[in-house]
Amino acid sequence: MKSPEKLPRQFPHAIKVGNAIVKIYRAKANGYDLFTVVHYRDGKRERKNFGRFADARMHAQEVATQIARGRVGVLTLTTADRDSYATTLSLLKPLGLPLHAAIEEYVAARAHLHGDSLLSAVKEHAARRRGVTEKRVTAIVAELIEAKESDGLSRRYIETLRSHLNRFAGGFQTGIGSVTARLINEWLKAQNVGPRARNNIRMSIVTLFHFARAQGYLPKGTPTEAEDVAKAKERDGAIGIFTPKQMATIMENAAPDHALFFALGGFAGLRRAEIERLAWNEINFERGHIEVGADKAKTATRRLVPIQPNLMQWLAPWRGSRGRLFSSRRLADYAIAAVKATGQEWPDNALRHSYATYRLALIADAPRVALEMGNSVGKLMTNYRELADERDGTAWFRIVRARASNVVSISTEAA
């Protein structure tokens, strides 16, 4: 049985003959040692691989000897060339860089400058970095979240920001100054989410980088790396809504608490998260509106949503109740699952889309509907509205209880 080959303690291992140095590198290939002898011939890097260190050392010794004796592509230098070479080595000595490495870096840098001066570019970069404090991504995320909470932004927005950025920080355990647009883009692609979700995460990252720049953790006066990350192209598609007839069937078959959730989404246009955080004291039966507080709204802006006559009837059995409407956030999942179990499709955000569509068809006042929903008019028209006419709108808001009882009975003119 062969005894293990004795190897040097450290790699790369240098073989030196006179002033000539040849290095041997060690790597693994399919579980086996691979030893690579590296040297330069006529200015070009040459490599030769060996399976045994002894063979690699022997070859390196031969090459180093040839170089030392001037038999391997040694250039003939003039006196001026020798002086230049010696001066160059003297300048590089404090940096600990070999001449070839310095030249390679210089050539690569000049290639990016398209003819501009490398020294000017370095001075400009240094000026931008002056006063910049390096800080890790994780620490900046925590600082940003704390600042947003102090600013009184909505809980939902902060939760979303925290979710996105904690995930991002987990992938970048480094200073924010070293995170490039390419790295951000690769990380976003690896999240395996749709275009809209990816763009939402990207926007949170842009917010983080803007905050870092404002705090002095990135150079001021220049775009951040996050801004250079292109948005994902969102596929255009039909906005999913329910017809009045479908909604009437959904309400008729729903359990009372499920029907309450559906009514607030479909007849008031509230977001799911807003419904889940809603308390009974925020539903003003006397004045006929629902108050969505700034701490519950996605946009951190308080708004009043009118209670439509049909919604008032759906809310009536719970009048006088106290506390939060729903004790569990899972109720919405159970309610939607129950509808899907009947064979009815449930398009994304269907209740809110339906409210926007039928409310706008009924009153033809986009700014008013946008205000009720807590959106801009532009977003209302592009993200929420499907085509419907006034008759459809009338049918939608006539979906009511036939009698005020716990047994749901529907009266609608839906076609």
Side-chain angles (χ1 to χ4, degrees):
M1 181 177 178
K2 284 186 177 182
S3 58
E5 188 176 18
K6 189 174 181 180
L7 302 176
R9 291 183 178 180
Q10 292 185 339
F11 283 89
H13 179 68
I15 301 295
K16 186 174 182 180
V17 177
N19 291 325
I21 298 176
V22 176
K23 291 185 178 182
I24 304 173
Y25 293 83
R26 182 187 183 189
K28 289 282 186 181
N30 297 324
Y32 296 96
D33 280 328
L34 183 69
F35 301 96
T36 304
V37 177
V38 179
H39 69 281
Y40 288 84
R41 184 189 299 271
D42 296 330
K44 295 182 179 179
R45 193 183 196 207
E46 293 197 356
R47 302 157 55 95
K48 191 167 184 179
N49 298 319
F50 297 88
R52 297 178 63 247
F53 174 71
D55 295 335
R57 182 175 57 190
M58 185 181 298
H59 178 70
Q61 188 76 36
E62 292 173 356
V63 172
T65 301
Q66 290 175 359
I67 293 174
R69 293 176 180 176
R71 293 170 56 187
V72 180
V74 178
L75 297 175
T76 302
L77 300 178
T78 65
T79 301
D81 289 337
R82 289 194 196 95
D83 291 342
S84 177
Y85 179 71
T87 301
T88 303
L89 292 183
S90 176
L91 291 171
L92 289 173
K93 188 173 182 181
L95 302 176
L97 285 175
L99 177 59
H100 72 86
I103 295 299
E104 286 174 358
E105 185 171 338
Y106 175 82
V107 171
R110 284 301 300 266
H112 286 283
L113 292 173
H114 307 292
D116 292 342
S117 165
L118 177 59
L119 182 58
S120 296
V122 170
K123 287 181 176 178
E124 182 182 342
H125 173 75
R128 288 201 308 269
R129 297 292 300 181
R130 192 174 295 121
V132 172
T133 302
E134 182 65 17
K135 199 162 189 176
R136 296 178 71 84
V137 174
T138 305
I140 302 174
V141 169
E143 191 175 330
L144 170 63
I145 297 299
E146 183 179 351
K148 295 298 184 184
E149 289 175 337
S150 297
D151 290 342
L153 297 184
S154 75
R155 186 169 60 183
R156 181 183 179 187
Y157 171 75
I158 292 173
E159 287 176 356
T160 300
L161 199 63
R162 181 183 284 114
S163 174
H164 290 168
L165 296 182
N166 280 347
R167 204 185 322 169
F168 179 72
F172 292 92
Q173 299 292 326
T174 183
I176 197 166
S178 63
V179 182
T180 64
R182 179 182 63 81
L183 294 174
I184 298 171
N185 193 49
E186 290 175 355
W187 181 84
L188 283 170
K189 287 181 178 179
Q191 298 311 298
N192 195 27
V193 295
R196 178 169 295 184
R198 176 177 165 179
N199 286 337
N200 290 340
I201 298 172
R202 174 192 171 277
M203 184 53 64
S204 294
I205 296 170
V206 170
T207 299
L208 174 69
F209 274 66
H210 284 175
F211 177 80
R213 183 175 60 189
Q215 299 303 114
Y217 308 137
L218 289 173
K220 297 193 177 189
T222 59
T224 67
E225 290 289 325
E227 292 170 76
D228 287 338
V229 178
K231 292 182 180 179
K233 186 175 181 180
E234 297 184 19
R235 296 180 294 273
D236 293 330
I239 295 171
I241 64 171
F242 295 125
T243 66
K245 186 174 182 179
Q246 289 172 332
M247 185 62 170
T249 301
I250 290 171
M251 297 298 287
E252 183 175 12
N253 296 323
D257 52 350
H258 294 182
L260 177 61
F261 174 82
F262 297 150
L264 289 165
F267 304 138
L270 299 187
R271 299 177 176 90
R272 171 174 170 166
E274 292 170 345
I275 298 172
E276 290 171 341
R277 297 177 184 136
L278 196 62
W280 284 109
N281 63 357
E282 293 167 317
I283 299 179
N284 192 322
F285 286 92
E286 288 73 23
R287 296 191 178 185
H289 62 69
I290 299 170
E291 179 183 346
V292 181
D295 62 327
K296 295 180 172 65
K298 180 180 179 181
T299 56
T301 303
R302 175 179 175 269
R303 72 182 193 276
L304 300 179
V305 180
I307 300 176
Q308 303 301 323
N310 69 328
L311 176 59
M312 185 67 79
Q313 292 193 12
W314 288 105
L315 295 175
W318 283 273
R319 190 164 185 168
S321 300
R322 295 183 180 182
R324 291 176 58 174
L325 275 67
F326 303 106
S327 58
S328 170
R329 293 189 178 185
R330 299 300 304 276
L331 182 134
D333 294 327
Y334 298 145
I336 294 171
V339 173
K340 288 181 176 179
T342 67
Q344 171 64 55
E345 292 186 6
W346 191 280
D348 184 47
N349 217 8
L351 294 174
R352 188 166 159 84
H353 287 166
S354 298
Y355 176 84
T357 296
Y358 296 120
R359 180 71 170 146
L360 192 58
L362 197 59
I363 67 173
D365 188 341
R368 181 177 171 186
V369 176
L371 187 63
E372 292 172 1
M373 298 185 67
N375 273 123
S376 67
V377 174
K379 181 161 282 191
L380 169 69
M381 303 301 286
T382 58
N383 290 11
Y384 290 98
R385 185 182 68 93
E386 184 56 280
L387 290 178
D389 58 26
E390 187 175 349
R391 182 179 176 183
D392 295 327
T394 299
W396 182 264
F397 290 102
R398 282 187 179 174
I399 300 174
V400 297
R401 294 175 180 274
R403 283 177 173 72
S405 67
N406 287 333
V407 178
V408 177
S409 177
I410 305 299
S411 172
T412 178
E413 294 180 3

